[in-house]
Amino acid sequence: YLFYYLQGTKAKQYIEASLAGSTQKFIGLGQLRKFPIDLPDMETQKKIADILGTIDEKIELNRKMNETLEQMGQALFRHYFIDNPEAEKWEDGTVSDLVTIHSGYAFKRTDFDPNGKYGLVTIRNVQDGNFLGECSDHLADVPAKVPDYIHLKTGDVLLSLTGNVGRVCIAYGENLLLNQRVAKLAGAKDRHSFAYFMFRQNEFKDRLISMSRGTAQLNLSPIETKKIKMKLPPEDTLENFYSEAEPLFEMITDNYQQIQTLAVFRDTLLPRLISGKITLE
């Protein structure tokens, strides 16, 4: 019960209001011991923890399913394009022959609106294999000159271009905009499994890091990324891969959506259960 209570908005607000320190924020033990908490009877505490724990178990199950699906997708990619003995005979080409790389838009900070409808997806949102759906910055209106591809949709594949370069994840959610220093990877005919599983390969990520520039922080050039040389598979090989990999990619995306929906439901349910607005029997 305490674990879930401390994740609630009320608890977070108290902790933030109690923080001290200028260079590094902290909360003292004395202040922590005075932490006010809504404490229902033990039976109610157990019921609340059981309900929220069941949701967390489903979230964890989806995460484990995605780990398995990722491994299957990576194995498929290696089978078709890396370990395939025929690959050496394929035509020479570049990444741009199979993957389109769209760069994010440089939105003006003066246009930011904390209550805006649109969330700006930055490098913070792009974790390694995991998308953080909560955005720090927002816009009320989208500038007219913004290209259509800046509007993100569920299933779009994102690539970080600054700092921890080479991180790849699948976006999900609504009213999301692609900010600068994040790129979107798109495959032909709106099929993204090839781009996703290729950029998720450890060897490919290492290559992206090695070609990045910068001293204080690394920066990856989308233009140079497009020019990376690779062997181009025949159309039938590519189609065979897509027939097996696209369903895996779609299942991974669906699981991520479920995780987000369950997490939002859990977080909105928490204060209602604690306040007694939802009766427990």
Side-chain angles (χ1 to χ4, degrees):
Y1 173 80
L2 181 61
F3 170 77
Y4 288 112
Y5 188 88
L6 291 175
Q7 294 183 66
T9 306
K10 190 174 180 180
K12 287 178 180 177
Q13 287 174 346
Y14 176 84
I15 291 172
E16 287 174 6
S18 306
L19 291 176
S22 51
T23 55
Q24 187 173 358
K25 298 292 183 181
F26 68 93
I27 182 169
L29 283 177
Q31 192 69 25
L32 200 55
R33 291 189 182 101
K34 297 176 185 176
F35 190 98
I37 184 171
D38 298 311
L39 204 60
D41 60 78
M42 184 57 70
E43 185 181 352
T44 302
Q45 290 181 46
K46 287 179 179 178
K47 286 181 179 179
I48 291 173
D50 285 344
I51 291 169
L52 300 178
T54 301
I55 297 173
D56 271 343
E57 285 173 6
K58 173 58 178 169
I59 290 173
E60 186 58 28
L61 177 63
N62 278 18
R63 286 194 178 121
K64 287 181 178 177
M65 285 174 62
N66 270 3
E67 286 177 8
T68 303
L69 292 169
E70 283 267 358
Q71 290 170 4
M72 292 170 65
Q74 295 294 346
L76 270 179
F77 188 91
R78 297 192 70 87
H79 169 72
Y80 277 100
F81 309 116
I82 297 177
D83 300 331
N84 190 341
E86 296 296 315
E88 287 302 317
K89 303 174 185 176
W90 295 345
E91 181 185 347
D92 291 329
T94 63
V95 166
S96 62
D97 290 312
L98 294 175
V99 179
T100 302
I101 303 178
H102 298 292
S103 295
Y105 187 82
F107 293 98
K108 295 179 181 177
R109 185 160 289 276
T110 51
D111 293 334
F112 289 5
D113 181 345
N115 300 313
K117 171 184 177 182
Y118 299 95
L120 299 186
V121 173
T122 66
I123 54 173
R124 187 191 70 85
N125 299 92
V126 183
Q127 300 298 305
D128 201 18
N130 183 38
F131 177 71
L132 299 183
E134 189 176 342
C135 298
S136 301
D137 299 313
H138 295 78
L139 286 180
D141 300 296
V142 183
K145 56 185 177 180
V146 167
D148 288 340
Y149 67 78
I150 294 298
H151 292 265
L152 296 176
K153 60 183 184 297
T154 296
D156 282 339
V157 180
L158 306 181
L159 169 70
S160 63
L161 300 175
T162 297
N164 293 317
V165 302
R167 293 189 299 194
V168 176
C169 68
I170 303 171
Y172 47 88
E174 297 178 346
N175 301 319
L176 299 173
L177 302 173
L178 187 67
N179 204 0
Q180 61 182 340
R181 306 316 303 157
V182 179
K184 180 167 78 172
L185 309 175
K189 301 177 185 176
D190 208 29
R191 298 181 297 183
H192 306 318
S193 57
F194 179 87
Y196 179 72
F197 289 119
M198 179 172 74
F199 277 75
R200 286 280 289 154
Q201 293 281 326
N202 288 331
E203 297 89 343
F204 197 85
K205 182 180 177 181
D206 291 341
R207 191 171 181 180
L208 295 178
I209 294 172
S210 67
M211 61 186 281
S212 300
R213 297 189 176 93
T215 50
Q217 65 175 5
L218 293 178
N219 289 286
L220 177 65
S221 164
I223 296 173
E224 290 184 13
T225 303
K226 294 176 187 178
K227 294 177 182 177
I228 293 177
K229 294 179 180 180
M230 63 178 293
K231 291 290 186 178
L232 302 179
E235 191 63 28
D236 60 338
T237 302
L238 197 56
E239 287 300 320
N240 288 338
F241 170 77
Y242 275 130
S243 67
E244 296 185 64
E246 279 297 298
L248 295 179
F249 179 83
E250 289 169 7
M251 283 190 282
I252 291 171
T253 304
D254 288 344
N255 281 339
Y256 277 134
Q257 279 187 286
Q258 285 185 35
I259 288 171
Q260 184 190 42
T261 302
L262 287 168
V264 170
F265 177 62
R266 176 199 62 204
D267 294 343
T268 53
L269 191 61
L270 173 63
R272 295 175 66 82
L273 288 169
I274 290 172
S275 66
K277 289 181 181 176
I278 296 180
T279 4
L280 296 171
E281 295 181 3

